[in-house]
Structure formats: structure tokens, C-alpha cells
Amino acid sequence: METNFDKIVNRRGTGSVKWDSRPDVLPLWVADMDFETAPCILEALRRRVEHGVFGYTLVRDDYYEALIDWFSSRHLYEFKREDVIYTSGVVPALSAIIKGLTKPGDGVIVQTPVYNCFFSSIRNNGCRVVENPFIREDISDTKFTYHINFEELEHLAADPSNTMLILCNPHNPVGRVWTREELERIHEICVSNGVEVVSDEIHCELTMPGFRYTPYGTVDHDAVVCVSPSKAFNIAGLQIANIISPDSSKRALIDRAININEVCDVNPFGVEALIAAYSPEGAEWLEDLRGYLYENYIFMQQFMAEKLPQCPVTRLEATYLPWVDVRALGISADRLTEILMQDAHVWVNSGIMYGSDGYIRLNIACPRSLLEEGLEKIAEQLRALLPENN
């Protein structure tokens, strides 16, 4: 099967958050790919549409079979049907888990910079955000990465008022794929201090060559893990996700919170899409996608090293969301994103929303021609803003 990821799909006027929120800019922001989803998913959805009736959905046996078989065969992550709670998305899942497993006032540890919805989900449930910032490592003049500050994590976990850690595995936005050794260290620290680990693994399929995703549930068999095909197969609008919780006591508390939050129902298209995605045809399409995303990352990395070496790019081990250091410009990331929007007509994300000024996040999951166009505009604007050019 060959997929033409260079094909440009016109998304203007389709109610796209990414493309229609600001029709005058090239959007390289929200984690939404500009590729058509896998043909096997499109065919499954066509069959469902042709049925013509879209009532309340019963999640069937083949849904659970597809989910369990995918993770056991692809990632050696074993769990049972009764361990699974389905819901409409990973963010609603995280909110319900926090509601179910913490009490108002508890501290919830996050490793920053991190996905912005972690902050809102914690605060919306009356808990405190407790930051465990990463340690940055410069690999070269134009590339860097991050490591977990385990010493500080031990200190935070030892505080009895901090009862939960939300792990991002693989990590958005720093692009790390945590090794088994790192995950085992997290588990050791948290279990010895009674800190519940909840792992958001929505980007688990999108690893780069040479990096392997390790499900946190294979390290801590009682962990709560959130997964979804939405990022890897570009079906976020179909709203389907799963919480895996082998501990029946935790699962009962989470299930109650899911119902309190009223995110216990899913739509028929999400069910059909997951079954189709987690199939041999879906896996084949995914491998093609991963290859294209890697080529886009290499293209971006080389482009930035040549045309804007003052702004290093993170080593991207997973996701399609490179993290770029723009501290050389000497202005806040919020102000920079405003300038890029207004003057370069390109939309990127400010690092401030993830808890780290001086950085921006880009989305490279688009046809390479659009990526090149966006990078050219960004580079021209950023070069003009460099202190030596002013």
C-alpha cells in the first residue's frame, strides 16, 4: 500500500479548528495532521454511514479484541477486557482519573514543559500543579534534549500532600521516548512514596527510527494508562479513547468519575475507526506515515541548522511536534508567536502554554511543500528579529 502524503487536502471551510480558526495564516500549531486517514478507516466509516442509523452505541467484543491484540502484539502490553474503560478522549479521561483518585487540594506532579491540558485538568478538579522541570542537555550547537530530574522528583514525591504524577509517554512537547530504565526509576520513586502514576500515551505509535516506546503498564502493572488511536491515525474528531486500569478498586473510582463527568458514551464512528485502525491494514499505513514524518523532521532539522542555527531544535524521538529554542531572539515566546501570526502569517504554539518561555512548538505533520513554505516564512521573520540584525 502506498499513501501519497505529499497530497494537499484543502481543509478550509470544513469547520477545521486548525485551518478555519484563522483563515489568513498557515497553521503549524495544534496536534492535528493534514493527511487523510488510513484507507481501511475510511472504508469502515463508509460502511457505517451506509447503514443510515446512528443511535446509541454498544461497544462490541471486536472493539476490545482489536485494542487488546494491538497492544499485546505490537507493544507486549497485556491487559484484559475488564481493565478497559472507554471514553471520548484522553483529556476527559485524565480529568476523570484526577477526580476519581485524588481529593481537592492534593498536589499533582507534572514534568515540565508539558502538554497544556495537564495544567487545566488538575486545576479544574481543585488540585495543585506541582512542577518537576526537566534538565536540558545540549547535544550539539543545533540540537538538544531533556532528562528527568530524578533527585527533585524524589523530593516532591516524599511530600505526602503530592499524591499523583501525570506522566507523558512519549512526551509532548519535548519529544522524548522514555526508556524502560527511566520508567522503572519513576515507578520505584512513586511506589515507595505512595504516589499514583497516570500515564498519557496518546503519541505512543509515533516513534522515530531507533526509538522504542515502552508502555508504562509493562513497568507498573497496576498503573492507570490512557491510550487512543486519535493522534497516530488523525481521527481526533471521532472522539475515542481508552483508560486501562487493572486495579479494580481504582477502576471503580475512575468509572464513577467518568459518569459524574458524563463522558461515558462514545459515537459509532469512533468505535468503527478504532477497530479498523488496529488492524494489519492500519499498521501498514502507520509505518508509511512514520517514515514520512521522520523525513519531515530531518528536513526541518537540516533547514533550521542551515538557515537559523541560532535556534536549536530538540532531538525528536517521537511525536510530530518539534520543540524549538528561540531564546536567542530575546523576546517572550508569546510575543514571538504574535509576530509570526501577524507578520509571517504562520501559527505556531508558544512554549509558555507548556510552562517554558523561550521556546515554540511546531507541527510538521503536513505535506512537505507546506512545511517548507512555513519554515521559510518563520526563518525570514526570526532572522529579522535577531539582536545582531537590529
Side-chain angles (χ1 to χ4, degrees), residues 203-220:
H203 291 280
C204 67
E205 306 302 339
L206 299 172
T207 52
M208 295 290 165
F211 297 96
R212 183 176 180 82
Y213 150 71
T214 301
Y216 187 73
T218 64
V219 172
D220 177 359

Side-chain angles (χ1 to χ4, degrees), residues 10-12 16-30 34 337-349 370 373-374 377-378:
N10 183 9
R11 301 182 65 189
R12 301 281 191 199
S16 165
V17 168
K18 182 177 183 180
W19 284 87
D20 289 336
S21 295
R22 281 289 301 265
D24 58 325
V25 300
L26 178 60
L28 299 179
W29 63 295
V30 67
D34 290 319
T337 55
E338 289 174 4
I339 292 170
L340 287 172
M341 182 92 78
Q342 294 165 6
D343 298 340
H345 303 289
V346 179
W347 191 346
V348 301
N349 290 117
L370 292 182
E373 178 186 349
K377 291 180 176 181
I378 290 169

Side-chain angles (χ1 to χ4, degrees), residues 334-376:
D334 280 353
R335 178 63 185 138
L336 176 59
T337 55
E338 289 174 4
I339 292 170
L340 287 172
M341 182 92 78
Q342 294 165 6
D343 298 340
H345 303 289
V346 179
W347 191 346
V348 301
N349 290 117
S350 165
I352 291 175
M353 69 191 296
Y354 309 105
S356 191
D357 198 359
Y359 296 83
I360 58 174
R361 192 192 79 167
L362 274 64
N363 180 344
I364 62 170
C366 60
R368 197 155 304 129
S369 60
L370 292 182
L371 177 59
E372 184 173 12
E373 178 186 349
L375 291 175
E376 290 285 2

Side-chain angles (χ1 to χ4, degrees), residues 3 15 45 60 106 116 146 179 189 199 212 217 225 228 231 254 274 280 283 285 345 347 357 365 372:
T3 302
L45 296 179
R60 310 182 308 270
D106 282 1
N116 55 295
Y146 290 92
T179 64
I189 291 169
S199 189
R212 183 176 180 82
V225 176
S228 171
K231 296 302 180 193
I254 296 167
L274 181 143
W285 180 89
H345 303 289
W347 191 346
D357 198 359
E372 184 173 12

Side-chain angles (χ1 to χ4, degrees), residues 28 30 79 91 115 131 136 193 220 237 267 286 292 336 382:
L28 299 179
V30 67
F79 51 88
V91 172
Y115 179 47
E131 295 191 34
R136 173 173 160 155
N193 288 282
D220 177 359
N267 74 69
L286 179 61
Y292 192 86
L336 176 59
L382 268 53

